Amino acid sequence: MSAEIICVGTEMLLGDILNSNAQFIAQQLAQLGIPHYYQTVVGDNPERLKQVIEIAISRAQILIFTGGLGPTPDDLTCETIADFFNVPLVERLEIIEDITQKFTQRGRVMTPSNRKQALIPQGAEILPNPIGTAPGIIWQPRPQVTIFTFPGVPSEMHRMWEETAVPFLKSQGWGKEIIYSRSLKFWGIGESALAEKVAPYFNLPNPTVAPYAGKGEVRLRISAKAASETAAEALISPIEKQIKEIAGLNYYGADHDTLASVVGQLLRTSKETLSVAESCTGGGLGQMLTEISGSSDYFWGGVISYDNSVKVGLLGVNPEDLDQFGAVSATVAEQMAVGVKTRLATTWGLSITGIAGPNGGTDTKPVGLVYIGLAGPKDEVASFEYRFGIMRGRTLIRHVSASTALDLLRRQLLTRKYN
């Protein structure tokens, strides 16, 4: 038995609204151990919605709808579902009373259009909405077919799912097994390179291993199906350990870890401090660091040295080196790192200078060329050259540059070796 998620609303097809409901329901289904293989987004059109239902009931036994339960003419989910199964809509007095009471509590009078929300397919059970006016339904129109409908408002849908849908599904025998996942995160290795190293793990039946990539980061999701989270973790743990050993320093964290949070913890543990000097990233590196609560324990501040006069005046970069080598160069990156470390009196100084594009590149210094400087506690200093490529685009080049800088510091904090 499997579930299918059907999200109704033209606004999602147009991209006006992010479909967060599908993500929430998918995560909840995994916690209940209910597999689901398909998600569909369909506009507010009865005929297309019927086509979606026809396909869904041929491959899933639980159909979960969100959206289309409001009082306006384009809210057609319930009546379309009823029409598909050739069942009449009936007005439920208890729904009208609930909507009337909620309007009264808000100092308003229920409009005639809201009576539409009291019409549900004959034989369906009401799925109460504790905070909104649009109730859902739980309905089994055919053997082996169970339908849930929810409003599209996420806060309402979440409450209705947790308070009514989950208990119902558990009463039907679901929830005895869960699907539990751990996401391992990697930086400094491409998806294909990592996939080759861990290829044998992709054929495991339980737990399963799957790769994902985006914005320079690679992830491996390890998912196990078991009777409890503890039992699932016992299945995941040995696989996780083996993959970490294979990946070495390219592995940096799991689940909610970020490069900034991992670096922060390493700095806090070693009682060391950090300052940053940024050019092409324009404060992006500092933003990543300060997104972590408590980062003031180890991050003391930074300088956005976008103009060369700031590099010279605040960071002490040699103007002759700027003239000879240019702002985007190894020597300037090193001087920026030393300069910010010295000015702010921190253990570490980290710098970024580069060409984020789309303009400003040359044959010798193309868009995507970035230098990262790192100055350490014993007056060590080093620079690292990267060519991220023009095709990545300005925003991504800046993001990858800041992330790579954090990764360089992470590796140094772990190994204490400049390499």
Side-chain angles (χ1 to χ4, degrees):
M1 183 174 286
S2 65
E4 182 153 345
I5 301 170
I6 302 170
C7 300
V8 183
T10 302
E11 65 276 10
M12 285 179 288
L13 291 176
L14 295 174
D16 294 334
I17 294 179
L18 181 66
N19 186 11
S20 62
N21 285 342
Q23 180 185 33
F24 172 82
I25 295 171
Q27 292 169 340
Q28 293 292 307
L29 290 171
Q31 290 181 16
L32 291 167
I34 300 176
H36 97 278
Y37 308 116
Y38 302 95
Q39 296 179 8
T40 302
V41 177
V42 60
D44 302 301
N45 179 283
E47 293 308 312
R48 286 193 283 272
L49 181 52
K50 288 178 184 178
Q51 293 171 11
V52 167
I53 297 171
E54 183 72 46
I55 295 170
I57 61 175
S58 71
R59 62 192 184 189
Q61 294 72 45
I62 302 172
L63 275 57
I64 303 171
F65 294 81
T66 67
L69 302 185
T72 59
D74 63 341
D75 290 311
L76 301 168
T77 298
C78 257
E79 62 183 85
T80 303
I81 293 172
D83 189 34
F84 178 87
F85 290 102
N86 197 28
V87 172
L89 292 170
V90 295
E91 187 176 77
R92 297 289 289 267
L93 180 60
E94 58 265 57
I95 296 177
I96 295 176
E97 292 175 347
D98 179 68
I99 295 173
T100 302
Q101 183 181 24
K102 286 172 178 170
F103 269 86
T104 301
Q105 291 171 347
R106 299 168 188 171
R108 298 164 56 194
V109 178
M110 186 184 80
T111 62
S113 62
N114 285 102
R115 293 185 70 97
K116 176 184 177 182
Q117 295 175 301
L119 295 170
I120 68 172
Q122 187 175 58
E125 297 180 28
I126 299 170
L127 203 169
N129 185 339
I131 54 179
T133 61
I137 64 169
I138 302 175
W139 188 31
Q140 294 175 308
R142 294 180 185 174
Q144 301 300 313
V145 175
T146 300
I147 290 174
F148 294 85
T149 66
F150 297 91
V153 180
S155 59
E156 296 179 22
M157 187 269 290
H158 291 186
R159 282 281 298 273
M160 295 165 70
W161 175 268
E162 292 163 358
E163 295 181 7
T164 305
V166 170
F168 176 85
L169 288 166
K170 287 185 175 180
S171 74
Q172 302 299 302
W174 293 101
K176 293 180 180 179
E177 285 191 314
I178 65 164
I179 300 173
Y180 179 79
S181 299
R182 176 161 297 136
S183 180
L184 307 185
K185 300 181 179 182
F186 308 84
W187 195 273
I189 186 171
E191 181 183 15
S192 58
L194 181 61
E196 287 181 7
K197 289 177 177 290
V198 299
Y201 295 93
F202 296 152
N203 298 319
L204 296 176
N206 190 28
T208 60
V209 179
Y212 301 87
K215 293 187 175 182
E217 180 178 271
V218 181
R219 299 187 183 191
L220 291 178
R221 188 199 64 207
I222 310 175
S223 300
K225 190 170 186 178
S228 67
E229 185 174 314
T230 301
E233 286 184 334
L235 292 171
I236 289 172
S237 181
I239 305 302
E240 177 183 2
K241 181 180 178 182
Q242 292 166 33
I243 289 176
K244 287 180 182 179
E245 290 174 352
I246 292 170
L249 279 176
N250 291 319
Y251 167 81
Y252 79 81
D255 296 333
H256 300 296
D257 290 334
T258 65
L259 283 165
S261 69
V262 170
V263 165
Q265 188 55 49
L266 290 170
L267 288 168
R268 183 181 284 114
T269 299
S270 62
K271 294 182 171 53
E272 295 177 317
T273 55
L274 171 67
S275 57
V276 301
E278 303 182 60
S279 184
C280 67
T281 48
L285 177 56
Q287 180 182 9
M288 287 180 177
L289 287 160
T290 54
E291 282 177 349
I292 308 304
S293 177
S295 55
S296 58
D297 291 346
Y298 49 82
F299 178 59
W300 285 12
V303 175
I304 302 175
S305 55
Y306 215 60
D307 188 79
N308 284 348
S309 63
V310 181
K311 293 180 177 69
V312 174
L314 289 183
L315 298 176
V317 174
N318 187 331
E320 294 181 359
D321 289 335
L322 278 167
D323 291 339
Q324 181 177 355
F325 302 107
V328 181
S329 61
T331 186
V332 169
E334 291 177 7
Q335 290 178 49
M336 288 170 62
V338 171
V340 77
K341 172 182 176 290
T342 302
R343 299 296 190 277
L344 275 65
T346 54
T347 316
W348 297 91
L350 190 58
S351 70
I352 305 174
T353 179
I355 305 170
N359 303 315
T362 65
D363 290 340
T364 56
K365 292 187 177 182
V367 169
L369 174 65
V370 174
Y371 289 93
I372 297 173
L374 182 61
K378 297 180 181 180
D379 296 328
E380 313 98 323
V381 62
S383 58
F384 305 83
E385 179 184 298
Y386 295 91
R387 294 177 181 262
F388 294 127
I390 190 172
M391 297 304 292
R392 288 178 178 263
R394 181 178 180 83
T395 299
L396 187 54
I397 288 172
R398 284 154 55 98
H399 172 81
V400 172
S401 297
S403 298
T404 300
L406 287 171
D407 185 60
L408 278 171
L409 179 56
R410 175 187 69 89
R411 292 169 187 258
Q412 174 61 19
L413 290 167
L414 288 170
T415 64
R416 302 287 167 167
K417 295 179 182 179
Y418 282 88
N419 50 35

